[in-house]
Amino acid sequence: MRNNNRKNDEMREVKVTKNYIVHPEGSVLIEFGNTKVICNATIEEKIPRWLKGTGSGWITAEYSMLPRATHTRIQRESIKGKLSGRTMEIQRLIGRALRAAIDLEKLGERTIMIDCDVIQADGGTRTASITGAYLALELAVERLIDEGKLKEIPIKSKVAAISVGKVRNEMLLDLEYEEDSKADVDMNIVMNDKGEFIELQGTGEEATFTHSELLKFIELSKNAFDKLFSL
Amino acid sequence: MRNNNRKNDEMREVKVTKNYIVHPEGSVLIEFGNTKVICNATIEEKIPRWLKGTGSGWITAEYSMLPRATHTRIQRESIKGKLSGRTMEIQRLIGRALRAAIDLEKLGERTIMIDCDVIQADGGTRTASITGAYLALELAVERLIDEGKLKEIPIKSKVAAISVGKVRNEMLLDLEYEEDSKADVDMNIVMNDKGEFIELQGTGEEATFTHSELLKFIELSKNAFDKLFSL
Amino acid sequence: MRNNNRKNDEMREVKVTKNYIVHPEGSVLIEFGNTKVICNATIEEKIPRWLKGTGSGWITAEYSMLPRATHTRIQRESIKGKLSGRTMEIQRLIGRALRAAIDLEKLGERTIMIDCDVIQADGGTRTASITGAYLALELAVERLIDEGKLKEIPIKSKVAAISVGKVRNEMLLDLEYEEDSKADVDMNIVMNDKGEFIELQGTGEEATFTHSELLKFIELSKNAFDKLFSL
Amino acid sequence: MRNNNRKNDEMREVKVTKNYIVHPEGSVLIEFGNTKVICNATIEEKIPRWLKGTGSGWITAEYSMLPRATHTRIQRESIKGKLSGRTMEIQRLIGRALRAAIDLEKLGERTIMIDCDVIQADGGTRTASITGAYLALELAVERLIDEGKLKEIPIKSKVAAISVGKVRNEMLLDLEYEEDSKADVDMNIVMNDKGEFIELQGTGEEATFTHSELLKFIELSKNAFDKLFSL
Amino acid sequence: MRNNNRKNDEMREVKVTKNYIVHPEGSVLIEFGNTKVICNATIEEKIPRWLKGTGSGWITAEYSMLPRATHTRIQRESIKGKLSGRTMEIQRLIGRALRAAIDLEKLGERTIMIDCDVIQADGGTRTASITGAYLALELAVERLIDEGKLKEIPIKSKVAAISVGKVRNEMLLDLEYEEDSKADVDMNIVMNDKGEFIELQGTGEEATFTHSELLKFIELSKNAFDKLFSL
Amino acid sequence: MRNNNRKNDEMREVKVTKNYIVHPEGSVLIEFGNTKVICNATIEEKIPRWLKGTGSGWITAEYSMLPRATHTRIQRESIKGKLSGRTMEIQRLIGRALRAAIDLEKLGERTIMIDCDVIQADGGTRTASITGAYLALELAVERLIDEGKLKEIPIKSKVAAISVGKVRNEMLLDLEYEEDSKADVDMNIVMNDKGEFIELQGTGEEATFTHSELLKFIELSKNAFDKLFSL
C-alpha cells in the first residue's frame, strides 16, 4: 500500500504558489507532496557568445538542493568546489525541456535563466522542477509582454513532467523517495500540452524493462499530465 | 523617512516558523521584514579530528544565498567553484556566535551543523541568520534531550544579533538593503540574554566613527535584543 | 542521401579489435564508421566504501575525448579543471548500462572500471562506447575466470547501444556527426540480447516526437542490435 | 608575568625597515616583536570594472603567511587550491582599513594593491599587517607625487591597528602567540590619527565580554596608537 | 640482457603512421617499441595576447596519457582537477623543443598546438612525443604551404629526441619502462639534424654522473639520431 | 659590460644568514646578488604512503615567489588556485637535487620538507634556492643529531647549483635577470662537492648549442662551485 492510501496511478497533491520570492522576474514555489522546489526566473538582456547575431534567445537552468533538503545532510557543491554529475544531468534536462516550450527567435536576443532550488526533497525533484520552472518561465514572459519588451507570446506549448517506475512489480505514478529508492525501473517523461514527448528517459538500474512495460509506463503518465496542465 | 514609517530605533517585524523543513533535527524559517532565511540544524555523531578524545563537541555553520535572493542574480558559488570572502566571513561569524551559546563539553562528542540559506534578502541577512540559527540549535538540543542522548541542557545563554548603522548622519537600527547600501558605518552586534557581548564588528567603509557614536550604536541595539529574546 | 549511399535503416560498418592495448585486463578498439573509441577495462580488488561488507562488486566507467577527436579542437577537461556536464552524463550512462549486464554479487567485492577514450569522433560516440565497453568488460571477466578468481560467469546478458534520430523528417539509424548536428530528435537505445531495454533516452532538442514516432524509432533500432550482438 | 617582563599595557618593540624590497613602489618590513611582515605596494594604472568611469581609484590587499612562519608548518594555500576563510577575512579587513585612509577620488583611476606576507608569526599578524600596509601605501603615494602623477596628497589620515585581549582575567595589549592562543576575548582595533575608529572587531570565542570591559579594551589600546602614529 | 636481445646502443623499432586521425591539420601515430603516442597538430589563426602585434607566431604542446597506458591504472588529471608536475614538465619540454625547430616570424601570427596523447607506455614517452610532435608539425606546415597561407617553409631544422641512461653500470640507449624504473641516471637529449643540442636534461635521481659519463651518454645518443632523422 | 663590472666568469656576491627565521628546524636566507631566498627546513616524523615500511626517509621541496619579488607584480598561485608549470618544474628540481645529497635510509622514516620562498628576484632563483635549501637541510640534520634522533650523519655530499648561459655570443656565469631575459641558451648545473653532476639542464629556447659550447659551459661553472662549497 502506498502512503496516504494513494493508488498506483494517482499523483500526489500538487500546490503552486506564484510570486513566492519578490525579486525574480518570475517566481514559483511548487510542491509535489512533500517535495518543495523554489523556481525563480531571471531575464538577462544578453545571450551566450555563440548565439550573438543570430536573433535567437536562450533558456537555461540551474538546479541545486539545500544540504538538508534530504533525510541525511548532503555536502554543499560550493564546498566540494564542483557540481556532481547528478546535478549536471538534471539541470541540462530542465534546460532542454524549457527550450522546447519556447520559440527562441520570438524571444529575441535575451536569456531567461531558471533557478530550481529544492528546499525539501521527497522524490520527483526533477519532475517538480521542470513543471515549476515552466510556470516561472510563463510569469517572466508575461512580464516581458507587460513591459512592452515582447509583442508576441513566444510560448509554443506548455511543459510538464512526471515520473513513473516499477517497484516490486507494481507500476507506480509519481514516486516518492521511499518508493524511488526501491525502484527497479525509473522513467521521467516530459510532455507538452499537445500530448507530444519532449524528453523520455527510462533507466533500468541493474534491471531491464520490456516493450510492453514501456507502453504501460506511458499510459500511466497520462493521468498526471491532465492534472498538471490544468494548473 | 524609513520604509513603512519605521522609526530610527525600531526593528522590522520578526517572524519565526519552527519545524519549517521536515528532515532536519531543528528547522526554522526566520524573517526580519523581507529578509527570509531557512536555518536547518543537523546533528552528527562525530567531531572534527582535532577534537577527538577531548570529550568536547562542536558547533559550526554554513551560509549561502539562493542566486535570486537579491535584486539582481548572483552567480552560484558551486559554479564558481569556491566560496566568496563574504560567505566565509559570515559563516565563521555565525559559528563563533553559536559556540558561545553552548557548553561544548556538555554537548559531548558530537557536532551540530547549522545551515543558513537565505531565500530572500533585504539587508541584515547575517543577523537574521545568527538569530535563526540559534533557534534551530535550540530545537536540535531539545531533540537530543527528548531522545535521551543528553541528560542536561548544554545551553549557557540565548544568542541573537542585530545590525545598526549610520546613514546620512542618522543612527538606524536593523538596516534594510536600501539603507545598508548607503551606510557610512555598519555595525553587527551579537549578544546573549544576559546582556553580554559575544561579537561586535563595526566597520567604517571609507568612513570612521567616534567613541561617542560607538556608545550610541550599542544603546540603539538594546531595543532589538529585548524583542529578539522574547521570541 | 546519406554518405556512402547508406540507407536510413542501415548501420555503419562496425569493427572490433580485441586486445588493442597491452596493459589493461580487457582492451578493445571499437569503430562505428569513422568513430573510434579505445575501451580499456581495469580490475581493482577493492570497492566503493558504501558497498563494503555487502558482498557486491561494482562496475563504473569514465569517458573522454582526445582534444582533436573532433573537427575543431576542444579544450582538455584537465586544463579546465573539471568535467563538462556532457562528459558526466555520458559516463554515468555507460556505467548504468554495464551494471545491468552483470550480476554484481557474483562478481564479488571487486570493481571493474572501464575507460572509454574517443580518439576519433563522427557521431555515436556514446553508443560505440557502451558497445565497446561491454566487450572490454567481457574480456576482463574472462581473465578473472582464467585466473581462477571467479568460478562462475557473472554476465546476465550482452549489452549494446545504438542511436536513432529524426533529420528533416527522415527516421535514421546510427547517425553520423553531420546528421546528428541537424537532428530534431535524437534517441539513444541500450538493449540486452534478450530484447529488453536497459536505457532509453529520447530528446527533442527544441522539437518534440509523437507516440507513433517513438514506436518507429524502436523498430528502426532492431536492425542494429541484431548486428551488434553477433560481434 | 608576560615575556620580557612586558607590562599588561605595554606594546612590543616595533621596527620599520623602509624600502626593504627593491622592486615595489612602496616596501616596508614591519616587526611587532617577533612578528615580521613584508608589506609591498604595487601601483597599477587600472581599476576594477565596476569603478570604471567613476573617477575613483581603488585600494586592495592580499595577505599570506610563509608555510613555516609558524611553530608547525601550515600547508600552502596554492597547493590546497584555495584561500582559507581566515586569509579572506584578514585581507578584506586590511583592504577596508586602507580605503578609509585615502580619498579614493583624489587617487584617480588607479589601483594600489598591498601584499602583506608574514615571514615570521608571533601573534598580531593582522594588526602588524595593517600598520605596515599603511606605511607601504604612504611610500607608494609619495612616489606618485614625485613622478608628477598626483598633484595632491590623497591621504585623509594615518591608519594603524593593535590587538587587545582578555587572558585569564588580565586585560592585555598587543598579544603574542602564546597569549593569543589562551585568550577568552580577542579584539582588533583599527584607528586613524584623529582618534576615530575605522574598524572594531571584538570576539568572545566561547566566552563573552561586558560593556565595561569593552571600554577598558579601548582605553588600553590608546598607549599603542600614540606609539604607532609616531613611526 | 635487454629484451629482444637488444644491444646497449640499439634503439627499439620506430614506426610512424602519418595522417592517423582524420580531423587534425597534422596527425602522426609514433611508436618506439611498445610506446605509442598519437601526435595531433592544430593550426589556430590566433596567438597568445603577449605576442599580439609582434608579427611572430607560436608553437605549444600538451601531453597526456590514457589512464590505462600504464601497467596499473593512473587517475585522470581531469578528475583530479589539475595537471601533475610531471605532465607540466613534459609538455613544457615538448613546446620548447618544437619552437627551436621553427622560425616563429616566418610562421606569422598563428599558433600551432601539438597534442601528444600516449595510448600505450613503455618508457621514452617524452622522447617519442617530441619526435612525433615534430613530424605532426611538419605535416601542419605543409598544409599551410598547400593552402597558400605560407609562402616559405618556416622550419629551421628537424628535431628528434632520445633517452639514455645508466642501469646497473651499463650505459643504455632508448630505455624501456623496466630499465627506466631501475636507472640511476636518466638523460633526455633533444637535437636537430645539424647535430646541435636543443635541450639536454640529465638527472641522477639519488645518484650522480661524472664528466666522462656525460660524454659517453652523448656519444651513445648519436646512433639514435641518425635513425630518427631518416624517418 | 656586466653590471658592477662583473667579469663573464665571475659569480655575484653570495651571502648566507643562518637561523634567519626562528621556528623552522633549519632556516637560511641566501642571497646571490639581489636575488634573496628564504629556505626553511621542516622535519616531519612521517613519510609518504608509498615509502611506509621501507625504512627509507624522504626529502621534498616547495618553491614560491612573493608577488612583488619581481619587477612587475605576478598573481599569487593561491588565488589562481593552482601552481604554474614553472613552479612545479623548479620544486621538482630542488627536491631531486637534495635527495642526491642524502642517504635516505640513514635518514630513517621521516621527511624533511624544504620551503624556498623568493622574497626578491634578480635571476638565478632556482640555483640560489638549491644552494640555500641544501644549507637549511644541513641545519635540520644537525638538529636531528643534537637531539639524539640520528646517530650518524646521513649526508653523502654537499650540493650547490649555478646557472650559465649564452648572451649575445658571450658565455656568462651566474646570470642576473637582465641577462637571463636575453639569453639564447640557459643551463642550470647542480653538482656535489666531489665534482659529480647531480642534474644538468641545458635549454636552447628558440636557439641551440654545440658540443663544444656544452664543454665550455661546464668549465665556466667550476669557478662558482669552488666558491659555493666554501660557504
Side-chain angles (χ1 to χ4, degrees), chain D residues 121-181:
Chain D
D122 188 25
T125 67
R126 75 187 73 190
T127 51
S129 293
I130 291 168
T131 307
Y134 170 75
L135 295 169
L137 178 63
E138 255 190 15
L139 292 174
V141 165
E142 280 169 24
R143 160 117 30 150
L144 286 170
I145 298 280
D146 288 353
E147 292 176 348
K149 290 182 183 160
L150 271 186
K151 300 241 165 77
E152 196 184 353
I153 293 176
I155 293 176
K156 295 189 292 188
S157 58
K158 291 177 183 293
V159 170
I162 198 68
S163 74
V164 288
K166 188 166 78 166
V167 182
R168 294 188 183 146
N169 282 316
E170 300 282 323
M171 310 290 272
L172 303 181
L173 178 66
D174 186 24
L175 281 65
E176 40 193 271
Y177 174 74
E178 198 186 311
E179 295 164 344
D180 190 49
S181 61

Side-chain angles (χ1 to χ4, degrees), chain E residues 106-164:
Chain E
K106 287 193 185 157
L107 181 61
E109 290 209 357
R110 57 173 60 86
T111 296
I112 302 181
M113 154 72 86
I114 316 284
D115 287 291
C116 298
D117 286 89
V118 180
I119 61 172
Q120 191 170 281
D122 187 26
T125 67
R126 73 187 75 190
T127 51
S129 292
I130 290 168
T131 308
Y134 170 75
L135 295 170
L137 177 63
E138 255 190 15
L139 293 174
V141 164
E142 280 169 23
R143 160 117 32 148
L144 286 169
I145 298 280
D146 289 352
E147 290 176 349
K149 290 184 182 159
L150 271 185
K151 300 242 164 76
E152 196 183 353
I153 292 176
I155 294 176
K156 295 191 292 188
S157 59
K158 290 175 183 296
V159 171
I162 199 68
S163 74
V164 287

Side-chain angles (χ1 to χ4, degrees), chain F residues 192-222:
Chain F
N192 66 17
D193 57 351
K194 300 168 189 163
E196 295 164 334
F197 294 105
I198 288 169
E199 186 110 8
L200 183 71
Q201 291 198 345
T203 298
E205 173 76 39
E206 295 165 39
T208 57
F209 56 102
T210 63
H211 195 279
S212 77
E213 285 173 328
L214 169 63
L215 298 181
K216 277 184 216 157
F217 280 136
I218 292 170
E219 183 61 30
L220 198 57
S221 72
K222 288 194 177 149

